[in-house]
């Protein structure tokens, strides 16, 4: 509406209205281009000292619905990262945020990612995104907490406990009133040993009254969220080898395509994780902390070591699948075609970001 009205005023025969249109468009350009885009970039690079790799790693640790927002980030003396979400303070964020994310990826030489970000953050997320209740129901269906990517319930939970966890998640995400919830958390914090002002009773209430609520997180915890998310994604990719078990016929080209798709997917996953490692290293996470985190997420020793050097292993099917395929003539033919595709590439592959 602002642009439409400004252009209309600029076309007026009345010089006063034309001047008003110029001021309107100039003000809009200043707010969107200056305050909404240039100022956050200045704060991130100059004040916060956060480079592009650190910014990308920070966003990878966020829930999906926050990754396109604009943040002011501060590195605290103890190494923690304190962030303020500035998106909801800006009435033009629906324009500025997509442009910022698109520009960032364009500068990194990622035109396809930039175009995807522009499409999703400009049109899909604002107008086709999940309604809060529907999104919470979808999270329950996927058994994924959107805030931290952890499961909402565990497979070992009894049915009553599982239903209780689902109901609690739905109530907190869709119907939980924010202010009473924060007051209850402040009450729970009474008499407890507090590690920071933000977690104290007064700090919880004070932050709730602020226009922007800060969030403080140790960078190693942020890295842990990324590691587990990438681990789950790679596990799902590895399961595609199971397509070789199907009873329907498969040509050699289809078998080779299975390996090719798995290899490309794992290349993308490991390249993203490698870039995240560089970013978190800039935030102060040591190599030993990264290795121990990946070890805790049950990353293989070889995979972890290769990631530190910028490589990944050419994927191979698991042993139980190999044994099953070797037991039949059709399976042996499929395994032969699969390993021929495998042999077309080196055992250790350099990641895309190197």
């Amino acid at each position: 509406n602002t642009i439409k009205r400004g252009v209309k005023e600029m076309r007026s025969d009345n010089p006063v209205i034309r001047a008003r249109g110029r001021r309107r468009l100039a003000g809009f350009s200043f707010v969107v281009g200056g305050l909404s885009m240039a100022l956050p970039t200045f704060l991130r690079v100059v004040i916060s000292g956060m480079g592009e790799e650190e910014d990308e790693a920070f966003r990878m640790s966020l829930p999906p619905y926050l990754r396109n927002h604009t943040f002011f980030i501060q590195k605290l003396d103890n190494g923690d990262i304190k962030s303020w979400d500035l998106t909801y303070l800006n009435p033009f964020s629906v324009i500025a945020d997509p442009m910022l994310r698109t520009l960032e990826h364009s500068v990194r030489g990622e035109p396809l990612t930039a175009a995807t970000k522009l499409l999703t953050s400009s049109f899909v997320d604002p107008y086709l995104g999940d309604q809060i209740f529907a999104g919470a129901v979808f999270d329950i269906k996927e058994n994924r907490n959107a805030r931290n990517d952890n499961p909402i319930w565990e497979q070992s939970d009894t049915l009553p406990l599982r239903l209780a966890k689902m109901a609690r998640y739905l109530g907190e995400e869709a119907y939980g009133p924010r202010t009473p919830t924060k007051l209850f958390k402040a009450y729970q914090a009474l008499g407890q040993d507090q590690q920071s002002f933000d977690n104290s009773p007064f700090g919880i209430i004070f932050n709730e009254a602020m226009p922007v609520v800060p969030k403080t997180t140790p960078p190693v915890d942020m890295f842990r969220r990324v590691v587990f998310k990438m681990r789950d994604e790679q596990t799902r990719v590895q399961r595609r080898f199971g397509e070789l078990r199907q009873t329907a016929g498969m040509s050699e080209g289809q078998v080779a395509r299975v390996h090719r798709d798995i290899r490309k997917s794992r290349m993308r996953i490991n390249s993203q994780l490698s870039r995240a490692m560089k970013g978190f290293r800039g935030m102060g996470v040591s190599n030993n902390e990264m290795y121990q985190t990946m070890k805790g997420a049950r990353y293989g020793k070889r995979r972890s070591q290769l990631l530190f050097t910028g490589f990944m292993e050419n994927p191979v099917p698991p042993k139980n699948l190999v044994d099953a395929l070797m037991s039949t003539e059709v399976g042996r033919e499929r395994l032969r075609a699969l390993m021929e595709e495998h042999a077309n590439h080196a055992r250790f592959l350099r990641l895309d970001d190197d």
Side-chain angles (χ1 to χ4, degrees), residues 166-228:
M166 292 179 184
R168 179 178 179 181
Y169 182 82
L170 184 64
E172 290 179 347
E173 292 297 312
Y175 296 113
R178 180 177 177 86
T179 300
T181 301
K182 289 296 183 180
L183 289 174
F184 180 68
K185 287 185 177 181
Y187 173 76
Q188 289 180 316
L190 287 172
Q192 297 181 1
D193 293 335
Q194 305 301 329
Q195 299 295 322
S196 66
F197 170 77
D198 293 338
N199 294 324
S200 67
F202 180 73
I204 293 173
I205 296 174
F206 177 80
N207 287 332
E208 184 63 16
M210 296 293 289
V212 179
V213 179
K215 181 176 177 60
T216 303
T217 310
V220 68
D221 290 349
M222 297 161 60
F223 179 68
R224 184 176 295 109
R225 288 201 291 267
V226 174
V227 164
F228 275 88

Side-chain angles (χ1 to χ4, degrees), residues 236-299:
R236 291 191 293 271
V237 168
Q238 188 74 3
R239 290 176 186 155
R240 296 181 195 169
F241 276 122
E243 296 177 16
L244 300 178
R245 294 177 181 266
Q246 64 184 9
T247 57
M250 295 182 71
S251 66
E252 291 189 3
Q254 290 175 316
V255 173
R257 191 179 302 117
V258 170
H259 188 279
R260 188 161 53 249
D261 291 345
I262 293 173
R263 187 181 67 251
K264 290 182 177 180
S265 295
R266 288 184 57 172
M267 176 65 72
R268 174 182 52 81
I269 293 168
N270 286 297
S271 295
Q272 288 182 357
L273 183 54
S274 178
R275 289 195 298 270
M277 291 169 65
K278 293 178 182 178
F280 283 111
R281 193 176 291 116
M283 294 186 198
V285 182
S286 67
N287 287 341
N288 181 60
E289 288 175 319
M290 291 184 189
Y291 182 78
Q292 293 302 324
T293 299
M294 289 189 286
K295 182 179 179 180
R298 298 190 177 183
Y299 277 50

Side-chain angles (χ1 to χ4, degrees), residues 9 26 54 119 132 142 146 161 245 263 280 289 337:
E9 291 173 340
E54 289 90 341
L119 176 63
I132 295 176
E142 296 290 319
L161 179 58
R245 294 177 181 266
R263 187 181 67 251
F280 283 111
E289 288 175 319

